Amino acid sequence: MFTGIVEELGAVRAVTPHEGGARIEITARRVLDDAERGASIAVNGCCLTVVELLDDGWAADAVTETLDRTSLGGLRVGDPVNLERPVRLADRLGGHLVQGHVDAVGNVRDRVALPDGSTRMMFAAPAAVLRYVVEKGSIAVDGISLTVAGLGDDAFAIAVIPHTLAVTTLGARQPGDPVNLEVDVVAKYVERLLVTRATE
């Protein structure tokens, strides 16, 4: 379980395709403070397992399913990535509950710098994701816990503060770029409970 508060902006050092997926090497420092083989680290909101610790980073094996259903399949050497370790029970929950299980890949539709210093970003998303999105609710975009500022028929908007742009991948994201989306899991559970009760 994660919180959507990015700890570090890492970078892709290598992507080595192999049968059944690819090994991804990522340069990092902070998220490795207490890391060991078998630990989980979220990469752009996708939970991956540390399979090897390197001098200046770590490696994970991403299976074909992960590469096909997230934006990780398009990673290239040098790409920045958002990194977060799992939350500990004693930690503050600064964002919202994020599982690291990507629901869909959306894309940046538009970004506009606003006079107050923030940037309004619009993200296109599939209907299967938007059904769980509510204004002023939470959504994880590339693993970043964000508050929904507006909703459209096929997209949602976020008002991104300068700090978030500076310390996450959103600072470099441009229209057309893919992003991993994970809706608030609480919305899924509520829907499931309502459907179950309706059929009883």
Side-chain angles (χ1 to χ4, degrees):
M1 193 69 72
F2 304 90
T3 70
I5 303 300
V6 174
E7 292 186 85
E8 179 177 9
L9 197 58
V12 177
R13 188 171 81 171
V15 178
T16 308
H18 56 71
E19 186 175 350
R23 175 160 289 201
I24 302 172
E25 295 181 11
I26 297 170
T27 58
R29 298 165 100 184
R30 184 171 183 184
V31 296
L32 298 180
D33 285 348
D34 56 358
E36 55 187 33
R37 287 184 184 182
S40 296
I41 297 177
V43 178
N44 285 352
C46 180
C47 181
L48 296 179
T49 300
V50 176
V51 297
E52 184 180 359
L53 291 169
L54 310 169
D55 290 341
D56 60 347
W58 59 287
D61 288 324
V63 297
T64 303
E65 168 81 0
T66 300
L67 298 176
D68 289 345
R69 294 178 63 108
T70 72
S71 66
L72 299 189
L75 287 178
R76 301 291 178 260
V77 173
D79 283 351
V81 287
N82 297 320
L83 303 176
E84 182 191 356
R85 289 171 290 184
V87 66
R88 295 171 295 196
L89 290 178
D91 288 343
R92 291 185 178 90
L93 184 59
H96 70 284
L97 295 178
V98 178
Q99 294 183 296
H101 302 159
V102 174
D103 290 306
V105 176
N107 63 71
V108 180
R109 174 169 290 176
D110 192 26
R111 62 179 293 158
V112 178
L114 300 178
D116 64 3
S118 68
T119 296
R120 187 174 179 87
M121 298 185 74
M122 184 73 73
F123 298 93
V129 166
L130 287 173
R131 68 186 293 170
Y132 300 109
V133 180
V134 296
E135 192 167 344
K136 302 306 178 187
S138 297
I139 189 167
V141 177
D142 271 354
I144 309 160
S145 176
L146 298 167
T147 302
V148 177
L151 277 173
D153 291 337
D154 60 355
F156 63 92
I158 303 288
V160 188
I161 63 172
H163 173 76
T164 302
L165 292 175
V167 301
T168 72
T169 56
L170 289 186
R173 291 281 185 252
Q174 296 298 320
D177 286 349
V179 290
N180 290 323
L181 302 174
E182 182 187 331
V183 299
D184 190 341
V185 69
V186 174
K188 292 182 185 179
Y189 284 125
V190 169
E191 179 186 59
R192 180 64 176 164
L193 286 169
L194 292 174
V195 169
T196 302
R197 286 187 177 180
T199 58
E200 289 178 349

